[in-house]
Amino acid sequence: MFADITHLLELRRVPARTGRRPVSTLAFDWLYVALMLLFNVGVSLDVWSHGQFGPDQSVFSEYHMLFYTAIGMMGLLLFGTHQMNLRAGYSWANALPIGYGITLLGVLLFGFAGVFDLIGHALWGFEAGIEALYSPSHFTLFLSGALIRVGPIIAVITRSKQTEIRSLWGWLPGLICFASFTATVSVFALGYAPLGGRPFAMEAFRPLEDNQGYMLGIAGAFVQTAVVFGLLMWLMREVRLPFGAITLVFSMMAILTVFRAGGFAMPILITAGLLTDSLYQVVKPNALSRVRMMAFGFIAPLILWYTYYGLIILTGAGGGTYFTPYLWIGSTLQTGIVGMALGYLMTLHAPSTPKEAKS
Amino acid sequence: MSALIPFLRKWRVIGVCMLIALTAAVVMAQEGDDQSIVDLFTGSFASTRELILFRKTAGPYIVTINGERFVDRAYFEIEATADSEPISADAQVTIHMVPQHNAESRMVSAEIIETPRTYEAVYRDSDGLYVVEMSDIENPGSWMVDISITDAAGTGTTTFTSRIYPRKPDASVWFNIANIAVPITVLLVMLGVYRWRGIRLMSPIEAPVRSASLSASSSI
């Protein structure tokens, strides 16, 4: 009792930090990312296991244990940090380091969605085929899975604005989370996404009706362009990335697709990542220059999708392509239009002239 | 950093307690289906029976299929209704299965070894379902399944694809425990190293709650 009163009095002596919010260090981000990577490994192995062996024989499957424990530890870390910062004088609402508030929401939502999913399976059965990408409980899982990746991204952006981050190492936790976030957000398009989903341009994925294959393949490229380059240009709008950052993000995305779709996307994404990194250094897209952002938005998807079609044609992967040159050349140019439009949107609310920037 | 020390102590205790509790849960879950804590409370979660594998329209009928799909245990339970009325006990329900080799399957295709086959579903009085046992399928792979129903409302057919899976090899208790222990250990070890090396978790530079230097999207 006396200890509690003393403790309360001690708390009152801590100067209040109203209107301030803690910022995590790189060490904290790495701790969180280490747990998140374990979570990623668990989820990826679980997806692989379901593809190979069908339904689990127990809710306590080995991979469930890994990713549920990992997310439990992530929640514990955030809860402990919240308590630590409360004692350091921050207000209850602002005690989590910047970016990690939404992450804690993701952790809690994931727990809720996990139970919701189990109950749903028991009551209404398993989602069959593509239903798994769209059922409400799975959507909640994907949404929360995306939210838990946000913290380190925002933390790195915040630190980069306060103090210059010189090495790629300093960016790494944020970039790993950014790649995971992009991959998670793309999950809804797995049924037709060319990279990591179903490459309908390949002979092996050719449906009975060629036109269906054409439309799915082209629409998939449009959607994937919007998701990948939309998020990437948002990041470029916020910060200046070091050389190698885009290659790293693309490589991480490739690794995340291996469990699900094999290694087909790996050489494409690594090659396109290196080329896009070089393009970034040359064009230097930023929020203050609409022309540069739109130029990057136009050229970058062309690099990705010409690498994609080029690899299929040159190596004959998946039996080569049945897309005619009219289709793959023309539709890829149109992905450039999608990227260019995104580049325009990314500069809409940014100060477009140095004068506005000063004000 | 001094504020962190009591928490590190608490976390160590919490971590060890969690490790013990979760390890106990794994060991109990491993002790066989009859005594599994999963089965004690929520038996259906531990079952490999898939509810509503497929629900399709076949002519005048709505067909719902549950079942299991393993090489050593494969069956479909078929429920069919016409105008919301279940089909009669003397309806004819036939399943024709053809091994499928398509790009969706990343497994060894059943086509290599298996041959097409036809089954007559048997009516089960206890629950009014038609059951097809596919005990002769010995290899994993994808199948194209045609289901045909003939009853008073007429004949209806529909097609769906289904996989037959190999059984997942049992994971050892130690592997399961490792899957629980690794995240807990990573958290505790990294916190321990940070404490030992005096590495801060929070930056000395704070951010305002509504930072002018951050866009709205990044001030969460």
Side-chain angles (χ1 to χ4, degrees):
Chain A
M1 178 72 181
F2 285 114
D4 288 344
I5 293 170
T6 313
H7 176 64
L8 276 173
L9 290 173
E10 278 173 1
L11 274 183
R12 289 182 67 182
R13 279 191 216 119
V14 178
R17 292 169 161 172
T18 50
R20 310 295 295 170
R21 184 150 209 187
V23 176
S24 59
T25 59
L26 185 62
F28 182 88
D29 290 348
W30 270 119
L31 176 52
Y32 184 83
V33 167
L35 295 170
M36 196 209 68
L37 285 174
L38 288 170
F39 174 83
N40 276 1
V41 170
V43 170
S44 300
L45 287 172
D46 194 49
V47 169
W48 167 81
S49 167
H50 281 295
Q52 291 293 316
F53 303 112
D56 280 325
Q57 286 152 50
S58 163
V59 71
F60 284 122
S61 82
E62 57 271 41
Y63 308 127
H64 283 194
M65 287 182 198
L66 178 57
F67 72 75
Y68 275 114
T69 311
I71 202 164
M73 293 302 105
M74 288 152 79
L76 192 63
L77 173 68
L78 294 175
F79 176 74
T81 306
H82 186 268
Q83 293 297 306
M84 181 185 78
N85 287 336
L86 267 183
R87 285 167 193 243
Y90 292 101
S91 65
W92 193 91
N94 297 313
L96 275 173
I98 197 157
Y100 284 92
I102 197 163
T103 300
L104 181 61
L105 179 69
V107 171
L108 297 173
L109 192 61
F110 190 88
F112 163 77
V115 175
F116 179 34
D117 193 42
L118 281 174
I119 293 170
H121 287 175
L123 292 179
W124 305 303
F126 285 81
E127 299 86 349
I130 205 160
E131 287 173 357
L133 300 178
Y134 298 99
S135 76
S137 59
H138 282 195
F139 169 73
T140 317
L141 281 172
F142 300 147
L143 176 70
S144 55
L147 293 181
I148 63 171
R149 271 96 174 186
V150 169
I153 303 172
I154 303 298
V156 168
I157 290 174
T158 306
R159 281 202 303 276
S160 78
K161 288 181 173 178
Q162 290 176 336
T163 54
E164 190 182 347
I165 302 175
R166 294 182 187 282
S167 67
L168 197 59
W169 177 254
W171 282 95
L172 206 50
L175 292 175
I176 289 171
C177 285
F178 182 80
S180 294
F181 179 82
T182 309
T184 311
V185 168
S186 308
V187 161
F188 76 94
L190 278 185
Y192 51 90
L195 296 168
R198 291 180 187 175
F200 275 102
M202 280 182 176
E203 189 68 47
F205 283 82
R206 188 176 189 167
L208 293 175
E209 279 285 327
D210 277 357
N211 275 337
Q212 284 181 0
Y214 296 150
M215 286 186 284
L216 285 167
I218 291 167
F222 285 1
V223 170
Q224 210 155 25
T225 297
V227 172
V228 173
F229 289 103
L231 290 170
L232 196 58
M233 281 193 280
W234 170 81
L235 192 61
M236 291 169 184
R237 180 183 185 272
E238 296 289 324
V239 286
R240 174 97 190 120
L241 297 169
F243 184 76
I246 299 171
T247 310
L248 209 141
V249 167
F250 278 28
S251 303
M252 270 295 298
M253 284 164 52
I255 290 168
L256 290 170
T257 65
V258 166
F259 287 98
R260 203 170 48 222
F264 159 71
M266 186 79 82
I268 297 168
L269 282 167
I270 292 173
T271 310
L274 278 168
L275 293 170
T276 310
D277 246 329
S278 308
L279 175 74
Y280 182 67
Q281 297 302 318
V282 174
V283 178
K284 295 184 172 59
N286 61 77
L288 299 177
S289 171
R290 184 162 292 159
V291 173
R292 287 175 185 275
M293 194 65 106
M294 288 175 72
F296 179 87
F298 180 72
I299 302 169
L302 268 55
I303 290 174
L304 177 63
W305 297 116
Y306 282 135
T307 308
Y308 164 75
Y309 286 114
L311 190 124
I312 294 175
I313 292 165
L314 291 174
T315 65
T321 185
Y322 61 99
F323 278 30
T324 63
Y326 277 142
L327 278 169
W328 65 264
I329 293 172
S331 65
T332 299
L333 281 172
Q334 289 171 26
T335 61
I337 305 293
V338 173
M340 198 162 71
L342 286 167
Y344 175 80
L345 291 173
M346 290 301 157
T347 54
L348 266 187
H349 293 293
S352 55
T353 65
K355 190 180 172 187
E356 284 178 50
K358 276 181 192 170
S359 68
Chain B
M1 192 65 196
S2 59
L4 183 60
I5 293 169
F7 280 97
L8 286 173
R9 287 188 185 132
K10 271 190 184 174
W11 285 25
R12 198 166 48 199
V13 174
I14 291 168
V16 171
C17 289
M18 285 187 67
L19 195 59
I20 293 168
L22 291 169
T23 304
V26 174
V27 173
M28 288 172 74
Q30 293 282 330
E31 285 178 356
D33 286 344
D34 294 340
Q35 295 175 16
S36 158
I37 55 169
V38 184
D39 278 356
L40 283 175
F41 297 105
T42 53
S44 61
F45 291 168
S47 168
T48 50
R49 179 170 174 265
E50 295 174 275
L51 294 169
I52 314 177
L53 271 172
F54 305 96
R55 178 170 283 156
K56 309 273 282 185
T57 303
Y61 306 103
I62 294 173
V63 186
T64 305
I65 300 170
N66 302 322
E68 287 186 89
R69 300 181 289 169
F70 294 101
V71 283
D72 58 346
R73 182 85 181 102
Y75 65 89
F76 289 146
E77 292 170 341
I78 301 157
E79 180 189 3
T81 56
D83 292 330
S84 304
E85 290 295 319
I87 57 172
S88 64
D90 56 356
Q92 187 181 20
V93 179
T94 309
I95 293 241
H96 181 65
M97 295 177 68
V98 179
Q100 193 188 20
H101 183 75
N102 67 9
E104 287 183 27
S105 173
R106 289 188 290 278
M107 301 192 306
V108 176
S109 172
E111 184 187 36
I112 297 167
I113 304 161
E114 299 287 356
T115 52
R117 58 201 66 201
T118 301
Y119 302 97
E120 286 292 330
V122 177
Y123 185 74
R124 194 165 64 195
D125 281 328
S126 58
D127 48 15
L129 299 176
Y130 281 83
V131 181
V132 175
E133 292 277 354
M134 296 163 290
S135 53
D136 56 332
I137 296 178
E138 294 174 343
N139 298 286
S142 290
W143 294 79
M144 183 75 79
V145 184
D146 293 316
I147 181 164
S148 168
I149 298 171
T150 304
D151 197 27
T155 299
T157 58
T158 189
T159 302
F160 57 92
T161 57
S162 182
R163 285 187 188 175
I164 300 294
Y165 293 101
R167 284 278 184 187
K168 185 160 79 171
D170 287 336
S172 70
V173 177
W174 290 112
F175 183 66
N176 286 343
I177 290 171
N179 277 318
I180 291 172
V182 167
I184 297 171
T185 309
V186 165
L187 178 66
L188 294 177
V189 167
M190 285 184 79
L191 280 173
V193 169
Y194 287 170
R195 184 188 171 193
W196 172 50
R197 300 292 301 269
I199 297 170
R200 298 173 63 97
L201 293 180
M202 293 299 119
S203 167
I205 304 167
E206 297 167 316
V209 171
R210 292 285 173 203
S211 172
S213 62
L214 292 168
S215 67
S217 57
S218 55
S219 61
I220 299 160

